[in-house]
Amino acid sequence: MEGRGRSEKGLSSVRNAARLLKEFSRHDRELGVSELARRLDLSTSSVHRILGTLTEERLLDRVPTGRYRLGLAVFDLGSAVGAALDLHEAALPVMAALRATTGETVQLAVLDGLESVYIDRLESPHTVRIFSRVGTRLPATTTSTGKVLLAALPEAELAARLAGWRPHRATPRSIVDPAVLRARLREVAERGWAENREESRIGVMSVGAPVRDRADDVIAALSVAAPTDRAAPDVLRRLRAAVVEAAAVVSHRLG
């Protein structure tokens, strides 16, 4: 009987965790403890425990305001989350067209803390390529996608994330000065695109642009990456125009 009691209690916890996750939607992207407790008819202490576990598993993220939103691990669930599928389905045909147009590697990334995480990637047909894989994580401050995503954050959230920033000089060109980084991010926000000139890897450059959802929020970044010896100024201008247009098309496909 004691074992049965523990089992039933465990199932109840799983059920409540599932019910809590289902409260998040396109219209309720961020929710607080009290509101979740009221909706689920649970005590705030119980909701706190569930939120703590889901946050540890990266199914939820705690934002600076103290509220919660769906975390990056949700993307790993694939078909379990319609929003993630929407992004992949909207982006992949556009990414294929962008690769055909530019002849270079095309990437789609999202932000996790201060890391740029690549969730889709189409390799260049050239012999000399930018080798990596889906799931690769790079410091957001060193990538064009990362700078696009950081530049879109509200000031309070950006400040909270940068409070724990430990700069990593991946190359001599990596940004390690907070004042310089903030100035670059302001430029990115104003012009709508970002560049990475050998900041994450010597011999590699990229240009990225924001992907927006129905609410006009930046949810991802699209980029084109190429060896620097194939990125003369006129080529770079062409890549920049192509990726900005492609990101706009993905955003339009998302609604």
Side-chain angles (χ1 to χ4, degrees):
M1 292 296 291
E2 182 180 351
R4 180 181 176 184
R6 285 199 299 268
S7 176
E8 289 177 350
K9 183 177 180 180
L11 287 174
S12 177
S13 297
V14 172
R15 185 175 296 108
N16 286 334
R19 290 173 60 213
L20 187 149
L21 286 171
K22 289 178 183 178
E23 290 299 318
F24 292 88
S25 68
R26 291 186 184 278
H27 302 293
D28 290 312
R29 297 184 177 215
E30 294 184 4
L31 293 169
V33 177
S34 297
E35 185 173 6
L36 284 166
R38 176 178 55 78
R39 291 188 182 193
L40 300 174
D41 194 24
L42 295 172
S43 68
T44 55
S45 60
S46 295
V47 171
H48 264 298
R49 286 194 296 272
I50 297 170
L51 289 170
T53 299
L54 294 175
T55 301
E56 288 176 3
E57 296 299 323
R58 296 173 55 248
L59 289 166
L60 291 178
D61 285 333
R62 191 171 187 269
V63 299
T65 59
R67 293 162 72 82
Y68 292 80
R69 66 184 176 192
L70 292 176
L72 186 65
V74 169
F75 282 95
D76 297 333
L77 298 178
S79 60
V81 183
L85 282 180
D86 286 347
L87 177 58
H88 288 281
E89 291 171 355
L92 280 174
V94 183
M95 292 174 67
L98 182 59
R99 179 177 62 175
T101 299
T102 63
E104 301 296 353
T105 298
V106 178
Q107 307 168 119
L108 184 69
V110 295
L111 189 65
D112 183 22
L114 286 174
E115 291 183 315
S116 191
V117 185
Y118 295 93
I119 61 172
D120 269 320
R121 183 181 182 88
L122 297 180
E123 281 288 353
S124 165
H126 287 291
T127 303
V128 179
R129 305 175 184 175
I130 312 301
F131 287 103
S132 189
R133 60 183 177 80
V134 170
T136 293
R137 292 169 172 266
L138 291 173
T141 57
T142 68
T143 67
S144 61
T145 53
K147 284 184 247 179
V148 164
L149 294 164
L150 289 174
L153 293 176
E155 178 57 35
E157 186 168 351
L158 177 62
R161 296 195 189 204
L162 291 181
W165 184 37
R166 299 293 181 266
H168 171 64
R169 193 182 290 277
T171 79
R173 294 178 178 266
S174 301
I175 300 173
V176 293
D177 185 325
V180 173
L181 176 63
R182 283 184 171 276
R184 294 281 179 84
L185 295 180
R186 285 193 293 269
E187 292 174 3
V188 171
E190 290 172 3
R191 69 192 182 192
W193 52 269
E195 287 181 347
N196 158 22
R197 293 175 177 266
E198 297 187 307
E199 295 170 49
S200 59
R201 190 186 309 173
I202 293 296
V204 175
M205 61 73 57
S206 68
V207 58
V211 172
R212 300 175 181 274
D213 64 7
R214 291 178 177 86
D216 203 35
D217 293 326
V218 175
I219 59 169
L222 187 66
S223 72
V224 173
T228 52
D229 59 8
R230 288 206 298 262
D234 60 326
V235 174
L236 184 56
R237 284 192 293 271
R238 180 170 61 84
L239 294 179
R240 183 188 306 147
V243 76
V244 168
E245 180 180 3
V249 172
V250 177
S251 300
H252 179 73
R253 287 170 62 87
L254 287 170

